[in-house]
Structure formats: structure tokens, C-alpha cells
Amino acid sequence: MKLPENCENISEVRYAIDQIDRQIIDLLGERFAYVKAASRFKTSEVSVKAEDRFNSMLEQRKIWAVEAGLHPDVIEKMYRDLVNYFINEELKSWQEKNNS
């Protein structure tokens, strides 16, 4: 994959973006596997939701966004949506294990 400044046409740019998006999605799948693994160590629904951890995680992602030249509010929204989905899935998994 070429560096952005070395792309010679829109097809090369789009190809690179597609490759990066695929890597991002693969990494999100890997992240989700860790989220599911975390449910094994949680003792209550409150610990699954972990509001303090959630909020501190969002703040850290905003810092990383600024460092990467991205808008922190956009990254916060993206992570808020993503992690809320993961928390809901983790909660379902935790409830299934603990209601059996």
C-alpha cells in the first residue's frame, strides 16, 4: 500500500482506504473478543457497565484523537456508540452466564 502522498490516482487512494478500513474492522473484532473475556471477571451488572472506566476511557480516546490530528468530539461519539454496543453485548453474555 502506498503512502497517501505517493498515490497517483483516486483508485490507489480508495484501495488504501479500503485496506485500512478492513484492518480497523479486524481490530474491532479483536477488541470485542477482549470485551467478552472481561465479562468473566465481572461480578455484577454494575461492574459490567463500569461507568467510571467508560468515562475515563472516552477522555483518553479524546486525547489520542487530538494527538492524531482528529476532532476529539467525533472520536468520542464513535467510541461512545461502539463501546455502548459492546457493553450491551457483554451484559447479555454476563446475564446468560449468571442466570443459568
Side-chain angles (χ1 to χ4, degrees):
M1 185 168 57
K2 293 182 176 183
L3 294 173
E5 61 272 12
N6 294 334
C7 291
E8 298 176 13
N9 56 56
I10 193 69
S11 294
E12 290 179 353
V13 170
R14 288 178 177 158
Y15 174 79
I17 289 170
D18 288 346
Q19 295 304 304
I20 292 167
D21 285 348
R22 179 59 199 223
Q23 291 172 6
I24 291 169
I25 290 169
D26 287 343
L27 287 170
L28 290 173
E30 185 177 339
R31 187 188 194 287
F32 186 43
Y34 281 99
V35 168
K36 290 187 285 188
S39 71
R40 297 191 328 251
F41 305 103
K42 302 206 175 162
T43 57
S44 68
E45 290 186 19
V46 171
S47 67
V48 170
K49 293 178 183 178
E51 285 189 44
D52 289 343
R53 164 68 180 145
F54 180 75
N55 291 327
S56 66
M57 178 275 304
L58 288 176
E59 288 304 312
Q60 183 62 58
R61 299 322 177 258
K62 288 168 62 175
I63 291 168
W64 293 344
V66 171
E67 291 171 354
L70 299 169
H71 197 291
D73 294 342
V74 172
I75 297 304
E76 178 186 14
K77 181 183 181 334
M78 184 182 77
Y79 267 91
R80 185 177 297 280
D81 291 346
L82 176 71
V83 175
N84 276 323
Y85 166 74
F86 284 169
I87 288 170
N88 288 333
E89 292 300 308
E90 182 183 3
L91 192 54
K92 287 180 201 172
S93 176
W94 186 88
Q95 288 170 336
E96 288 171 6
K97 289 177 187 173
N98 291 286
N99 291 330
S100 312

PDB file of all heavy atoms in Angstrom, residues 5-19:
ATOM      1  N   GLU A   5       0.767  10.438   0.063  1.00  0.00           N
ATOM      2  CA  GLU A   5       1.414  11.391  -0.851  1.00  0.00           C
ATOM      3  C   GLU A   5       1.982  10.736  -2.109  1.00  0.00           C
ATOM      4  O   GLU A   5       2.317  11.417  -3.078  1.00  0.00           O
ATOM      5  CB  GLU A   5       2.507  12.189  -0.125  1.00  0.00           C
ATOM      6  CG  GLU A   5       3.630  11.354   0.441  1.00  0.00           C
ATOM      7  CD  GLU A   5       3.396  10.828   1.861  1.00  0.00           C
ATOM      8  OE1 GLU A   5       2.263  10.902   2.373  1.00  0.00           O
ATOM      9  OE2 GLU A   5       4.370  10.319   2.436  1.00  0.00           O
ATOM     10  N   ASN A   6       2.075   9.404  -2.109  1.00  0.00           N
ATOM     11  CA  ASN A   6       2.597   8.699  -3.279  1.00  0.00           C
ATOM     12  C   ASN A   6       1.511   8.124  -4.182  1.00  0.00           C
ATOM     13  O   ASN A   6       1.821   7.545  -5.219  1.00  0.00           O
ATOM     14  CB  ASN A   6       3.536   7.568  -2.840  1.00  0.00           C
ATOM     15  CG  ASN A   6       4.781   8.108  -2.178  1.00  0.00           C
ATOM     16  OD1 ASN A   6       5.208   9.232  -2.436  1.00  0.00           O
ATOM     17  ND2 ASN A   6       5.371   7.322  -1.299  1.00  0.00           N
ATOM     18  N   CYS A   7       0.241   8.284  -3.793  1.00  0.00           N
ATOM     19  CA  CYS A   7      -0.851   7.796  -4.629  1.00  0.00           C
ATOM     20  C   CYS A   7      -0.929   8.636  -5.898  1.00  0.00           C
ATOM     21  O   CYS A   7      -0.817   9.859  -5.859  1.00  0.00           O
ATOM     22  CB  CYS A   7      -2.180   7.846  -3.877  1.00  0.00           C
ATOM     23  SG  CYS A   7      -2.280   6.651  -2.535  1.00  0.00           S
ATOM     24  N   GLU A   8      -1.124   7.942  -7.015  1.00  0.00           N
ATOM     25  CA  GLU A   8      -1.122   8.620  -8.308  1.00  0.00           C
ATOM     26  C   GLU A   8      -2.511   8.824  -8.881  1.00  0.00           C
ATOM     27  O   GLU A   8      -2.676   9.530  -9.877  1.00  0.00           O
ATOM     28  CB  GLU A   8      -0.249   7.834  -9.287  1.00  0.00           C
ATOM     29  CG  GLU A   8       1.193   7.777  -8.830  1.00  0.00           C
ATOM     30  CD  GLU A   8       2.069   6.916  -9.718  1.00  0.00           C
ATOM     31  OE1 GLU A   8       1.635   6.554 -10.838  1.00  0.00           O
ATOM     32  OE2 GLU A   8       3.200   6.605  -9.293  1.00  0.00           O
ATOM     33  N   ASN A   9      -3.533   8.203  -8.263  1.00  0.00           N
ATOM     34  CA  ASN A   9      -4.904   8.375  -8.758  1.00  0.00           C
ATOM     35  C   ASN A   9      -5.895   7.999  -7.652  1.00  0.00           C
ATOM     36  O   ASN A   9      -5.503   7.456  -6.621  1.00  0.00           O
ATOM     37  CB  ASN A   9      -5.141   7.554 -10.029  1.00  0.00           C
ATOM     38  CG  ASN A   9      -4.846   6.083  -9.825  1.00  0.00           C
ATOM     39  OD1 ASN A   9      -5.412   5.442  -8.933  1.00  0.00           O
ATOM     40  ND2 ASN A   9      -3.935   5.530 -10.637  1.00  0.00           N
ATOM     41  N   ILE A  10      -7.153   8.288  -7.910  1.00  0.00           N
ATOM     42  CA  ILE A  10      -8.191   8.048  -6.905  1.00  0.00           C
ATOM     43  C   ILE A  10      -8.355   6.559  -6.601  1.00  0.00           C
ATOM     44  O   ILE A  10      -8.679   6.189  -5.464  1.00  0.00           O
ATOM     45  CB  ILE A  10      -9.540   8.690  -7.336  1.00  0.00           C
ATOM     46  CG1 ILE A  10     -10.536   8.724  -6.170  1.00  0.00           C
ATOM     47  CG2 ILE A  10     -10.131   7.973  -8.539  1.00  0.00           C
ATOM     48  CD1 ILE A  10     -10.175   9.661  -5.075  1.00  0.00           C
ATOM     49  N   SER A  11      -8.105   5.706  -7.560  1.00  0.00           N
ATOM     50  CA  SER A  11      -8.222   4.263  -7.325  1.00  0.00           C
ATOM     51  C   SER A  11      -7.219   3.789  -6.275  1.00  0.00           C
ATOM     52  O   SER A  11      -7.552   2.967  -5.420  1.00  0.00           O
ATOM     53  CB  SER A  11      -8.019   3.483  -8.626  1.00  0.00           C
ATOM     54  OG  SER A  11      -9.066   3.756  -9.517  1.00  0.00           O
ATOM     55  N   GLU A  12      -6.010   4.304  -6.339  1.00  0.00           N
ATOM     56  CA  GLU A  12      -4.998   3.945  -5.346  1.00  0.00           C
ATOM     57  C   GLU A  12      -5.384   4.466  -3.957  1.00  0.00           C
ATOM     58  O   GLU A  12      -5.192   3.767  -2.958  1.00  0.00           O
ATOM     59  CB  GLU A  12      -3.624   4.489  -5.756  1.00  0.00           C
ATOM     60  CG  GLU A  12      -3.043   3.771  -6.955  1.00  0.00           C
ATOM     61  CD  GLU A  12      -1.694   4.317  -7.398  1.00  0.00           C
ATOM     62  OE1 GLU A  12      -1.258   5.367  -6.853  1.00  0.00           O
ATOM     63  OE2 GLU A  12      -1.087   3.708  -8.286  1.00  0.00           O
ATOM     64  N   VAL A  13      -5.936   5.661  -3.902  1.00  0.00           N
ATOM     65  CA  VAL A  13      -6.381   6.222  -2.631  1.00  0.00           C
ATOM     66  C   VAL A  13      -7.501   5.359  -2.057  1.00  0.00           C
ATOM     67  O   VAL A  13      -7.480   4.976  -0.885  1.00  0.00           O
ATOM     68  CB  VAL A  13      -6.851   7.688  -2.806  1.00  0.00           C
ATOM     69  CG1 VAL A  13      -7.543   8.192  -1.552  1.00  0.00           C
ATOM     70  CG2 VAL A  13      -5.681   8.579  -3.190  1.00  0.00           C
ATOM     71  N   ARG A  14      -8.494   5.033  -2.880  1.00  0.00           N
ATOM     72  CA  ARG A  14      -9.625   4.224  -2.414  1.00  0.00           C
ATOM     73  C   ARG A  14      -9.187   2.831  -1.990  1.00  0.00           C
ATOM     74  O   ARG A  14      -9.688   2.289  -1.006  1.00  0.00           O
ATOM     75  CB  ARG A  14     -10.689   4.150  -3.495  1.00  0.00           C
ATOM     76  CG  ARG A  14     -11.418   5.462  -3.676  1.00  0.00           C
ATOM     77  CD  ARG A  14     -12.435   5.396  -4.781  1.00  0.00           C
ATOM     78  NE  ARG A  14     -13.156   6.663  -4.870  1.00  0.00           N
ATOM     79  CZ  ARG A  14     -13.785   7.072  -5.949  1.00  0.00           C
ATOM     80  NH1 ARG A  14     -13.802   6.315  -7.051  1.00  0.00           N
ATOM     81  NH2 ARG A  14     -14.422   8.230  -5.946  1.00  0.00           N
ATOM     82  N   TYR A  15      -8.266   2.253  -2.725  1.00  0.00           N
ATOM     83  CA  TYR A  15      -7.747   0.935  -2.360  1.00  0.00           C
ATOM     84  C   TYR A  15      -7.105   0.985  -0.965  1.00  0.00           C
ATOM     85  O   TYR A  15      -7.359   0.126  -0.128  1.00  0.00           O
ATOM     86  CB  TYR A  15      -6.726   0.449  -3.396  1.00  0.00           C
ATOM     87  CG  TYR A  15      -6.052  -0.834  -2.997  1.00  0.00           C
ATOM     88  CD1 TYR A  15      -6.692  -2.054  -3.164  1.00  0.00           C
ATOM     89  CD2 TYR A  15      -4.783  -0.828  -2.420  1.00  0.00           C
ATOM     90  CE1 TYR A  15      -6.088  -3.248  -2.781  1.00  0.00           C
ATOM     91  CE2 TYR A  15      -4.169  -2.002  -2.024  1.00  0.00           C
ATOM     92  CZ  TYR A  15      -4.823  -3.212  -2.214  1.00  0.00           C
ATOM     93  OH  TYR A  15      -4.220  -4.392  -1.815  1.00  0.00           O
ATOM     94  N   ALA A  16      -6.301   2.005  -0.732  1.00  0.00           N
ATOM     95  CA  ALA A  16      -5.627   2.139   0.564  1.00  0.00           C
ATOM     96  C   ALA A  16      -6.649   2.349   1.686  1.00  0.00           C
ATOM     97  O   ALA A  16      -6.538   1.732   2.755  1.00  0.00           O
ATOM     98  CB  ALA A  16      -4.632   3.294   0.518  1.00  0.00           C
ATOM     99  N   ILE A  17      -7.643   3.179   1.439  1.00  0.00           N
ATOM    100  CA  ILE A  17      -8.684   3.402   2.451  1.00  0.00           C
ATOM    101  C   ILE A  17      -9.406   2.096   2.757  1.00  0.00           C
ATOM    102  O   ILE A  17      -9.662   1.778   3.927  1.00  0.00           O
ATOM    103  CB  ILE A  17      -9.667   4.502   1.985  1.00  0.00           C
ATOM    104  CG1 ILE A  17      -8.964   5.864   2.023  1.00  0.00           C
ATOM    105  CG2 ILE A  17     -10.931   4.499   2.836  1.00  0.00           C
ATOM    106  CD1 ILE A  17      -9.752   6.987   1.374  1.00  0.00           C
ATOM    107  N   ASP A  18      -9.740   1.328   1.729  1.00  0.00           N
ATOM    108  CA  ASP A  18     -10.406   0.037   1.946  1.00  0.00           C
ATOM    109  C   ASP A  18      -9.537  -0.905   2.772  1.00  0.00           C
ATOM    110  O   ASP A  18     -10.041  -1.611   3.653  1.00  0.00           O
ATOM    111  CB  ASP A  18     -10.762  -0.624   0.613  1.00  0.00           C
ATOM    112  CG  ASP A  18     -11.910   0.073  -0.112  1.00  0.00           C
ATOM    113  OD1 ASP A  18     -12.607   0.906   0.512  1.00  0.00           O
ATOM    114  OD2 ASP A  18     -12.098  -0.220  -1.312  1.00  0.00           O
ATOM    115  N   GLN A  19      -8.251  -0.915   2.494  1.00  0.00           N
ATOM    116  CA  GLN A  19      -7.338  -1.783   3.245  1.00  0.00           C
ATOM    117  C   GLN A  19      -7.270  -1.361   4.720  1.00  0.00           C
ATOM    118  O   GLN A  19      -7.281  -2.199   5.621  1.00  0.00           O
ATOM    119  CB  GLN A  19      -5.942  -1.775   2.617  1.00  0.00           C
ATOM    120  CG  GLN A  19      -5.883  -2.362   1.225  1.00  0.00           C
ATOM    121  CD  GLN A  19      -6.427  -3.774   1.183  1.00  0.00           C
ATOM    122  OE1 GLN A  19      -5.968  -4.651   1.899  1.00  0.00           O
ATOM    123  NE2 GLN A  19      -7.429  -4.001   0.349  1.00  0.00           N
TER     124      GLN A  19
END
